[in-house]
Amino acid sequence: MPPVRRFNISLFAAVAIAASPANAGNQSRVESYAYGDGLVEVVADFSEDAIYWCGAAEYARNSGDVPRNSNIYVWQGPSASAAQPGEKSVKFGFAPPPSGQTDSLTGDVETVGNFMSINQARQTCNERTASG
């Protein structure tokens, strides 16, 4: 397994945090783990597509390694986390997966190749925040 860099992201603070993410009230949390080859594993407190996209967008915005005009692609839908055994995660990349990209933009994290721009994925953070 390639080296893992851990990024904790509070959806309301929208910044990378060095310690465990803060949890206030009903706030959702995600943790992003960077792997080699430009892949990121996003682990969420609960399984909602918007939360996974938000985690990938926040990783991209905070990593400094991803150009701001990049797209985020689903490389692996919800499955067992390699970084946090017993948890579910979604793997994203910033280039299309070998199988290619999908023709539609649905926000579905189960469809490998589905994609959003970083800005579109960042809007899922705002939507989740607005809905509580």
Side-chain angles (χ1 to χ4, degrees):
M1 175 188 283
V4 175
R5 290 188 297 164
R6 181 177 175 174
F7 290 85
N8 298 309
I9 302 165
S10 169
L11 295 177
F12 285 82
V15 296
I17 302 171
S20 296
N23 187 18
N26 238 359
Q27 286 183 336
S28 301
R29 300 178 299 179
V30 295
E31 293 181 271
S32 300
Y33 299 89
Y35 290 87
D37 300 327
L39 296 181
V40 174
E41 180 180 81
V42 177
V43 180
D45 274 357
F46 60 92
S47 183
E48 182 178 291
D49 291 357
I51 299 301
Y52 290 114
W53 285 108
C54 177
E58 288 303 300
Y59 168 82
R61 289 183 59 191
N62 292 311
S63 74
D65 297 334
V66 180
R68 297 263 184 214
N69 63 347
S70 296
N71 285 330
I72 301 169
Y73 299 86
V74 175
W75 274 60
Q76 181 179 19
S79 57
S81 171
Q84 287 190 16
E87 299 293 331
K88 289 210 182 266
S89 69
V90 174
K91 287 195 178 93
F92 294 94
F94 301 99
S99 60
Q101 67 190 43
T102 61
D103 291 333
S104 64
L105 179 81
T106 64
D108 178 15
V109 296
E110 293 188 15
T111 304
V112 172
N114 204 6
F115 68 98
M116 289 188 189
S117 71
I118 291 173
N119 287 335
Q120 289 167 322
R122 180 65 184 104
Q123 287 302 312
T124 65
C125 301
N126 298 338
E127 291 166 11
R128 180 63 194 150
T129 299
S131 68

